[in-house]
Amino acid sequence: MKTDYIYELKMKVRDYECDSQGIVNNANYQHYTEHTRHEFLESRGIKFSTLQEQGIVPVVARIVLEYKTSLKGGDMFYSRLNVKKEGIRYIFQQDIYRAEDEKLCVKAVVECVCIVNGRLKTHEIFDKILIPNS
Amino acid sequence: MKTDYIYELKMKVRDYECDSQGIVNNANYQHYTEHTRHEFLESRGIKFSTLQEQGIVPVVARIVLEYKTSLKGGDMFYSRLNVKKEGIRYIFQQDIYRAEDEKLCVKAVVECVCIVNGRLKTHEIFDKILIPNS
Amino acid sequence: MKTDYIYELKMKVRDYECDSQGIVNNANYQHYTEHTRHEFLESRGIKFSTLQEQGIVPVVARIVLEYKTSLKGGDMFYSRLNVKKEGIRYIFQQDIYRAEDEKLCVKAVVECVCIVNGRLKTHEIFDKILIPNS
Amino acid sequence: MKTDYIYELKMKVRDYECDSQGIVNNANYQHYTEHTRHEFLESRGIKFSTLQEQGIVPVVARIVLEYKTSLKGGDMFYSRLNVKKEGIRYIFQQDIYRAEDEKLCVKAVVECVCIVNGRLKTHEIFDKILIPNS
């Protein structure tokens, strides 16, 4: 893994994720980044469904996606992630690279906030994601 | 509307519903039939989310889809529906026709059951769907 | 329609577009904006599939989505659009409002470029989208 | 792997594949079965996109899905497959089991045909899928 990410997930494009241009439909990259965040949470011992049961709802407030290179059906890719906290926002930097040649496909910045029992605030359970793995 | 259906919904293929073959991906027809059933329920005064809140959960037990003609991006189509009851099963006949030439695209038979507070049974609220509109 | 948009499309949330939080999944708003752009093009006499056949491929280079209010299953909404040109980029401002109360749900800025026969450039056919309807 | 299948793929439910009932939306199982067939083809040296380039288009003519047990977000599952030929139809038996307890979730029978240069027929390249691995 490149050194400036704290998590990566290897995935493969499924043919049904491609549209009539024969490439992955733009919205599906957002699905990839969501799935990567949830897998990252799980790697830190946080299950998304458990959070919801505890009244902690992480929501995306803003997302910026830059499309650089298209992925095609069957392509393997790495979905990599970094996270930092700014105020009550958790800023995820999420980049997708084609596995074959490490070409950057999509650069995403995803700003999340936590809604705890209906109110916007941070929560120690969620802050566990910020502690580096040892 | 053809006389042997009790409900129809006119829809248009969205480009993102097509896959790399340039035609609607097979699984999306299942989405179309689901949306049509929910719209049909609503036309009978039943809102899907309200059912859920009352502990009445309609679930699909079995679906048969026959693919006849493919729809392409931008195609208009009619999604038509009929329903009958067999035991505790509600059998929906759902057929999709291309609007342009009334060509049959997909024939679906969808068997639903109701789970009421965790148990499989019929419910009078849901049975309203069987009463013909006057 | 509010006066600062040149196109609007009325749509309804389909239940399958909602995720386990009971609200529209974030990525689906991107689908809504894509569908709206294609419908807008069509309203200007440009069919997306025809563009592709002529070797003109509009691609999204960058998208910014701000999530304000969530839509739920069955909600009606307006997907509104404006467009301007900056260099070779077509900048779409696309905002989604809940129909019931005109509450802003999602603000999107979508930057598109045209690839004509493999090269990045503008094309008079595509520039038709900039000419106001009379 | 259970002995009566010739191929299996281990997968994990992604949260965005679940709907407001908190379980995998019915249509997504069809996506799972499609992806499994394409991965199976690839395991036999057949790439779906290559088939398309050669004018060989496998299409689903009919699908029967029986829903037994629902999968939830994060569930691991096995998507297993068998195939036989009946006339010009390739009949895929595709069953989905929850990994945790081997509980049967979905039973699918998918009937495919091949369209070769616009005509319905079998093709030796595609028939490779019928030869057992040694």
Side-chain angles (χ1 to χ4, degrees):
Chain A
M1 195 191 332
K2 297 206 170 174
T3 51
D4 43 352
Y5 297 99
I6 58 167
Y7 182 76
E8 83 171 10
L9 187 65
K10 193 172 189 178
M11 296 173 77
K12 185 176 187 175
V13 174
R14 300 175 183 172
D15 287 316
Y16 68 79
E17 295 166 341
C18 297
D19 61 20
S20 61
Q21 296 187 27
I23 53 178
V24 172
N25 183 273
N26 289 323
N28 284 325
Y29 293 100
Q30 206 169 332
H31 278 149
Y32 295 158
T33 59
E34 180 194 297
H35 182 57
T36 306
R37 284 195 308 282
H38 292 200
E39 287 295 289
F40 163 66
L41 289 185
E42 212 175 297
S43 78
R44 295 294 168 101
I46 302 169
K47 214 179 165 196
F48 192 76
S49 52
T50 312
L51 280 182
Q52 282 183 284
E53 286 157 23
Q54 296 179 332
I56 304 164
V57 185
V59 295
V60 173
R62 188 170 183 270
I63 185 165
V64 182
L65 293 151
E66 287 175 77
Y67 296 98
K68 305 291 189 182
T69 306
S70 298
L71 290 169
K72 294 195 307 290
D75 278 351
M76 302 295 303
F77 61 95
Y78 292 104
S79 177
R80 292 173 178 139
L81 177 153
N82 222 329
V83 65
K84 61 183 173 181
K85 198 172 173 180
E86 287 183 3
I88 59 162
R89 298 208 161 194
Y90 302 87
I91 316 287
F92 292 89
Q93 182 198 340
Q94 296 193 247
D95 300 329
I96 288 172
Y97 293 86
R98 188 163 57 195
E100 172 193 337
D101 55 5
E102 281 291 338
K103 194 154 190 172
L104 178 61
C105 297
V106 171
K107 269 188 90 62
V109 176
V110 185
E111 300 182 20
C112 293
V113 290
C114 266
I115 297 174
V116 182
N117 298 319
R119 297 181 56 190
L120 210 67
K121 58 181 197 173
T122 63
H123 195 287
E124 58 188 8
I125 288 179
F126 203 77
D127 278 346
K128 281 201 293 186
I129 64 172
L130 300 163
I131 304 160
N133 276 332
S134 56
Chain B
M1 195 191 333
K2 296 205 173 174
T3 50
D4 43 353
Y5 297 99
I6 58 167
Y7 182 76
E8 83 172 11
L9 187 64
K10 192 172 189 178
M11 296 173 77
K12 185 176 186 174
V13 175
R14 301 175 183 173
D15 286 316
Y16 68 78
E17 295 165 341
C18 296
D19 61 21
S20 60
Q21 296 187 27
I23 53 178
V24 172
N25 182 273
N26 289 324
N28 284 326
Y29 292 101
Q30 206 169 332
H31 279 150
Y32 295 158
T33 59
E34 180 193 296
H35 181 56
T36 306
R37 285 196 307 282
H38 292 200
E39 288 293 289
F40 163 66
L41 289 185
E42 212 175 296
S43 77
R44 296 293 169 102
I46 302 169
K47 213 176 166 202
F48 193 75
S49 51
T50 312
L51 280 182
Q52 282 184 285
E53 285 158 23
Q54 295 179 331
I56 304 165
V57 185
V59 295
V60 173
R62 187 171 184 270
I63 186 165
V64 182
L65 293 151
E66 288 176 74
Y67 297 97
K68 304 292 189 182
T69 306
S70 298
L71 290 169
K72 293 195 308 290
D75 279 350
M76 303 294 304
F77 61 93
Y78 292 106
S79 177
R80 291 171 179 140
L81 177 153
N82 222 330
V83 64
K84 62 183 173 181
K85 197 171 175 183
E86 286 183 5
I88 59 162
R89 298 207 161 195
Y90 302 87
I91 315 286
F92 292 88
Q93 182 197 342
Q94 296 193 248
D95 300 329
I96 288 172
Y97 293 84
R98 187 162 58 196
E100 173 194 337
D101 56 5
E102 282 290 336
K103 194 153 188 170
L104 178 61
C105 297
V106 171
K107 269 189 90 63
V109 176
V110 185
E111 299 182 21
C112 294
V113 290
C114 267
I115 297 175
V116 182
N117 298 319
R119 296 181 57 189
L120 210 67
K121 58 181 197 173
T122 61
H123 195 287
E124 57 188 11
I125 288 179
F126 203 77
D127 278 346
K128 280 199 294 185
I129 63 173
L130 300 163
I131 303 160
N133 276 333
S134 54
Chain C
M1 194 190 334
K2 297 205 172 175
T3 50
D4 43 354
Y5 297 99
I6 58 168
Y7 181 76
E8 84 172 10
L9 186 65
K10 193 172 190 179
M11 296 173 76
K12 185 177 188 174
V13 174
R14 301 175 183 173
D15 287 316
Y16 68 79
E17 295 166 340
C18 297
D19 61 21
S20 61
Q21 296 187 27
I23 53 177
V24 172
N25 181 272
N26 290 323
N28 284 327
Y29 293 101
Q30 206 169 331
H31 278 150
Y32 295 158
T33 59
E34 180 193 297
H35 181 56
T36 306
R37 285 195 308 282
H38 291 201
E39 287 295 289
F40 163 66
L41 289 185
E42 212 175 295
S43 78
R44 295 294 168 102
I46 302 170
K47 212 175 168 200
F48 192 76
S49 52
T50 312
L51 280 181
Q52 282 184 285
E53 285 158 23
Q54 294 179 333
I56 305 165
V57 185
V59 295
V60 173
R62 189 171 183 271
I63 186 165
V64 182
L65 293 152
E66 287 176 76
Y67 296 98
K68 305 290 191 184
T69 306
S70 298
L71 290 170
K72 293 195 308 290
D75 278 351
M76 302 295 302
F77 62 95
Y78 292 105
S79 178
R80 291 172 179 141
L81 176 153
N82 221 329
V83 65
K84 62 183 173 182
K85 197 172 174 182
E86 286 183 4
I88 58 162
R89 297 207 161 195
Y90 302 87
I91 316 286
F92 292 88
Q93 182 197 341
Q94 296 194 248
D95 300 330
I96 288 172
Y97 294 85
R98 188 162 57 194
E100 173 193 338
D101 56 5
E102 281 290 337
K103 194 153 189 173
L104 179 61
C105 297
V106 171
K107 269 187 89 63
V109 176
V110 185
E111 300 181 21
C112 294
V113 290
C114 266
I115 297 175
V116 182
N117 298 320
R119 296 181 58 190
L120 210 66
K121 58 181 198 174
T122 62
H123 195 288
E124 57 187 10
I125 287 180
F126 203 76
D127 278 346
K128 281 201 293 186
I129 63 172
L130 300 163
I131 304 160
N133 276 332
S134 54
Chain D
M1 195 192 331
K2 297 207 170 174
T3 50
D4 42 353
Y5 297 99
I6 57 167
Y7 183 76
E8 84 172 10
L9 187 65
K10 193 172 190 177
M11 296 174 77
K12 184 175 187 175
V13 175
R14 301 175 182 172
D15 287 316
Y16 68 79
E17 295 166 342
C18 297
D19 61 21
S20 60
Q21 297 187 25
I23 52 177
V24 172
N25 182 273
N26 290 324
N28 284 326
Y29 293 101
Q30 206 169 334
H31 278 150
Y32 296 159
T33 59
E34 181 193 295
H35 181 57
T36 306
R37 284 195 307 282
H38 292 201
E39 287 294 288
F40 163 66
L41 289 185
E42 212 175 295
S43 78
R44 296 294 168 100
I46 302 169
K47 214 177 166 196
F48 193 75
S49 51
T50 312
L51 280 182
Q52 281 183 285
E53 285 157 23
Q54 296 180 331
I56 304 165
V57 185
V59 294
V60 172
R62 188 170 184 270
I63 186 165
V64 182
L65 293 151
E66 287 176 76
Y67 297 97
K68 305 290 190 181
T69 306
S70 297
L71 290 169
K72 294 195 307 289
D75 278 350
M76 302 295 304
F77 62 94
Y78 292 105
S79 178
R80 290 171 179 142
L81 177 153
N82 221 329
V83 64
K84 62 182 173 182
K85 198 171 173 182
E86 286 183 5
I88 59 162
R89 298 207 161 195
Y90 302 87
I91 317 286
F92 291 88
Q93 182 197 341
Q94 297 194 247
D95 300 331
I96 289 173
Y97 294 85
R98 188 162 57 194
E100 172 193 339
D101 56 4
E102 281 290 336
K103 194 153 189 172
L104 179 60
C105 298
V106 171
K107 269 188 89 63
V109 176
V110 185
E111 300 182 20
C112 293
V113 291
C114 267
I115 297 176
V116 182
N117 299 318
R119 297 181 56 188
L120 209 68
K121 58 181 198 174
T122 62
H123 194 287
E124 58 187 10
I125 288 179
F126 203 77
D127 278 346
K128 281 200 292 185
I129 64 172
L130 301 162
I131 304 161
N133 276 333
S134 54

